[in-house]
């Protein structure tokens, strides 16, 4: 099983990256041996991965990082870098490789202070691996200062450093940065491809896999979670009942409160274990005495950690709300398809009775307005509007139609 096997429906991109990894391998080998590097190479120092949510931008970038760090002896016999089994591949894939640094947005933005150490590291030689690799998971969330720091590093890279940037679209990245990157655009995998992956890689029953893939419309990560996590299926079922609960003002407000509370609880569950572990590790590193009391002068460090964790919880809650909004959009898309007599496959076959009921009770124009209301809620959340206010405005708009 190579590192490319996890890239669902991205065969063309996989072939391009495999070729680049082979050229990168030849480049490192030539440099180490003191011979002339290959004249033509498809390898470059900066890459930009774009594509719709669920296409696997980060997984693709990490697979490429693993292939660049591959130390399998089969490479010398003509094998493709990225065996998936060697220490270089394994540690790069799980995120523990010393020469693969990952930067992700903790809150709404990637702050310059979160990039400084990483940019400095990009100018150092690899410690144990073949390349120094910087993976920026949310390049669209770089603010002005952090983007300028990345730009300088991409303009003047170290010889053995590779930048891998991930963003939804090429327009989400500064023109000055994207002009220095090789751009690869991923496409949404087909429903059948995602279902096949769930059966082969996760051992999911074919019927459950098909249902999860269809419900998420090819979003790989959400399909995997929906197929393997009963709690995720319960949350989705609750969201799909919301359109039937907004018949009066009281129902709108209750539905909004429950949706926000569910997202907050989801964020709390995800954060509790991670936050406790981080806090304990920092206290141990700072020399906390018995009873957990911190030494003098360390209060600022603990405050920074608490602020970071708070930003991350807020981001996680809004990510959870975004999933719910995506499910609602798919629901009303199915309603619209029924109203227009479209032959496209429904994403929410398990809620077909509710879909038909709403399709009969409203018009295509009102359904489009409801879809626009959901999009407006997502935009409000991006602008840091209080979640409850944004969701209440949406549920009232869903009632009005």
């Amino acid at each position: 099983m190579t590192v490319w096997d996890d890239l669902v429906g991205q065969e063309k991109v996989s072939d391009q990256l495999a070729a680049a990894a082979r050229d990168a391998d030849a480049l490192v080998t030539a440099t180490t041996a003191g011979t002339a590097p290959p004249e033509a190479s498809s390898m470059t120092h900066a890459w930009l991965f774009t594509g719709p949510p669920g296409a696997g931008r980060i997984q693709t970038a990490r697979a490429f990082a693993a292939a660049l760090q591959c130390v399998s002896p089969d490479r010398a016999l003509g094998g493709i870098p990225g065996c998936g089994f060697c220490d270089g591949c394994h540690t790069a894939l799980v995120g523990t490789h010393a020469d693969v640094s990952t930067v992700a947005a903790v809150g709404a933005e990637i702050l310059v202070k979160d990039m400084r150490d990483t940019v400095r590291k990009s100018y150092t030689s690899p410690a144990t691996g073949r390349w120094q690799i910087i993976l920026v998971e949310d390049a669209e969330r770089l603010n002005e200062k952090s983007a300028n720091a990345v730009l300088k590093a991409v303009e003047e890279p170290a010889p053995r450093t590779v930048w891998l940037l991930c963003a939804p679209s090429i327009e989400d990245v500064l023109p000055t940065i994207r002009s220095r990157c090789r751009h690869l655009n991923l496409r949404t995998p087909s429903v059948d491809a995602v279902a096949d992956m769930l059966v082969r890689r996760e051992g999911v029953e074919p019927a459950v896999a098909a249902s999860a893939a269809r419900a998420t419309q090819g979003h790989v990560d959400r399909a995997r979670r929906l197929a393997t996590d009963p709690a995720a299926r319960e949350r989705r079922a609750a969201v799909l009942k919301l359109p039937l609960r907004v018949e009066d003002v009281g129902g709108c407000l209750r539905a909004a409160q429950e949706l926000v509370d569910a997202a907050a609880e989801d964020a709390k569950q995800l954060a509790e274990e991670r936050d406790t572990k981080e806090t304990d590790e920092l206290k141990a590193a700072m020399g906390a005495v018995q009873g957990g009391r911190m030494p003098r002068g360390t209060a600022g460090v603990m405050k920074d950690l608490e602020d970071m964790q708070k930003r991350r919880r807020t981001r996680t809650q809004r990510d959870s709300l975004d999933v719910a909004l995506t499910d609602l959009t798919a629901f009303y898309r199915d309603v619209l398809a029924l109203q227009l007599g479209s032959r496209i496959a429904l994403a929410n076959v398990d809620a077909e009775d509710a879909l038909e009921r709403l399709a009969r009770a409203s018009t295509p124009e009102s359904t489009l307005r409801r879809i626009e209301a959901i999009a407006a809620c997502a935009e409000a959340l991006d602008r840091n509007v209080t979640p409850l206010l944004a969701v209440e405005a949406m549920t009232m708009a869903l009632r009005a139609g």
Side-chain angles (χ1 to χ4, degrees):
M1 181 189 71
T2 68
V3 297
W4 314 112
D5 291 340
D6 277 338
L7 308 187
V8 183
Q10 310 298 341
E11 290 77 11
K12 182 179 179 180
V13 170
S14 298
D15 291 343
Q16 290 176 288
L17 292 177
R22 281 196 299 269
D23 290 346
D25 196 55
L27 180 62
V28 173
T29 301
T31 302
T32 304
T35 59
E39 292 184 3
S41 175
S42 57
M43 182 58 187
T44 187
H45 72 284
W47 298 76
L48 174 59
F49 300 87
T50 64
R57 299 185 301 263
I58 297 170
Q59 291 87 341
T60 301
R62 193 166 290 283
F64 186 40
L68 293 177
Q69 303 290 19
C70 182
V71 293
S72 168
D74 292 342
R75 296 178 356 268
L77 303 175
I80 299 175
C83 65
F85 294 103
C86 70
D87 185 64
C89 285
H90 176 71
T91 53
L93 290 173
V94 300
T96 58
H97 197 291
D99 295 315
V100 179
S101 301
T102 302
V103 180
V106 175
E109 296 179 332
I110 297 179
L111 306 178
V112 67
K113 68 178 183 179
D114 298 328
M115 286 300 306
R116 286 196 186 107
D117 290 342
T118 303
V119 168
R120 280 195 291 267
K121 186 176 181 181
S122 75
Y123 288 108
T124 64
S125 298
T128 60
R130 302 170 70 79
W131 295 88
Q132 185 73 259
I133 298 174
I134 311 298
L135 170 56
V136 183
E137 294 186 354
D138 308 292
E140 77 280 9
R141 294 182 182 269
L142 291 165
N143 64 20
E144 183 179 358
K145 291 182 179 179
S146 57
N148 287 334
V150 171
L151 175 60
K152 181 174 176 58
V154 173
E155 282 180 328
E156 303 171 1
R160 294 273 288 277
T161 294
V162 180
W163 284 82
L164 308 178
L165 310 180
C166 302
S169 71
I170 194 169
E171 289 78 15
D172 290 319
V173 180
L174 284 178
T176 48
I177 293 179
R178 70 192 191 218
S179 65
R180 291 164 173 79
C181 300
R182 181 164 298 166
H183 177 219
L184 291 179
N185 187 49
L186 282 68
R187 61 189 181 89
T188 300
S190 69
V191 170
D192 290 341
V194 174
D196 179 66
M197 179 275 296
L198 292 174
V199 173
R200 288 186 297 104
R201 303 302 301 276
E202 306 293 337
V204 177
E205 291 293 326
V208 176
S211 177
R214 185 171 56 247
T216 56
Q217 292 295 287
H219 193 300
V220 178
D221 289 338
R222 288 187 56 218
R224 180 183 289 111
R225 188 174 183 187
L226 199 60
T228 58
D229 184 1
R233 292 196 289 272
E234 291 177 6
R235 283 193 294 273
R236 175 176 171 273
V239 169
L240 295 186
K241 293 178 182 177
L242 187 146
L244 301 178
R245 301 179 55 201
V246 293
E247 296 179 350
D248 55 56
V249 173
C252 292
L253 299 181
R254 284 192 298 272
Q257 184 69 64
E258 290 173 11
L259 193 60
V260 172
D261 288 347
E265 182 62 28
D266 194 27
K268 180 181 177 182
Q269 290 178 359
L270 291 173
E272 277 181 346
E273 182 177 348
R274 182 167 51 182
D275 289 357
T276 301
K277 182 180 179 182
E278 287 175 345
T279 301
D280 290 344
E281 288 177 349
L282 181 59
K283 286 182 176 179
M286 299 300 293
V289 297
Q290 189 173 8
R293 187 162 52 87
M294 296 292 291
R296 291 180 180 272
T298 59
V301 178
M302 291 300 300
K303 180 66 166 56
D304 288 343
L305 176 62
E306 290 168 0
D307 289 344
M308 183 274 289
Q309 291 173 341
K310 183 178 179 180
R311 296 201 314 271
R312 187 170 61 197
R313 282 194 295 271
T314 300
R315 167 82 188 276
T316 303
Q317 179 183 2
R318 297 195 174 175
D319 286 346
S320 182
L321 281 174
D322 187 59
V323 171
L325 297 182
T326 301
D327 287 334
L328 277 176
T329 302
F331 181 92
Y332 282 110
R333 163 206 174 263
D334 285 349
V335 172
L336 186 63
L338 290 175
Q339 290 172 329
L340 298 177
S342 173
R343 295 184 179 181
I344 64 171
L346 299 180
N348 300 284
V349 177
D350 50 342
E352 193 166 358
D353 290 343
L355 294 173
E356 292 179 348
R357 174 180 166 184
L358 286 179
R360 290 192 301 267
S362 62
T363 64
E365 291 78 12
S366 64
T367 301
L368 285 172
R369 286 194 292 270
R370 285 167 172 143
I371 292 173
E372 290 171 355
I374 298 170
C377 179
E379 291 176 7
L381 292 172
D382 283 340
R383 296 194 304 270
N384 290 325
V385 173
T386 303
L388 183 58
L389 292 178
V391 177
E392 284 180 345
M394 179 193 73
T395 55
M396 295 296 288
L398 294 180
R399 174 177 178 265

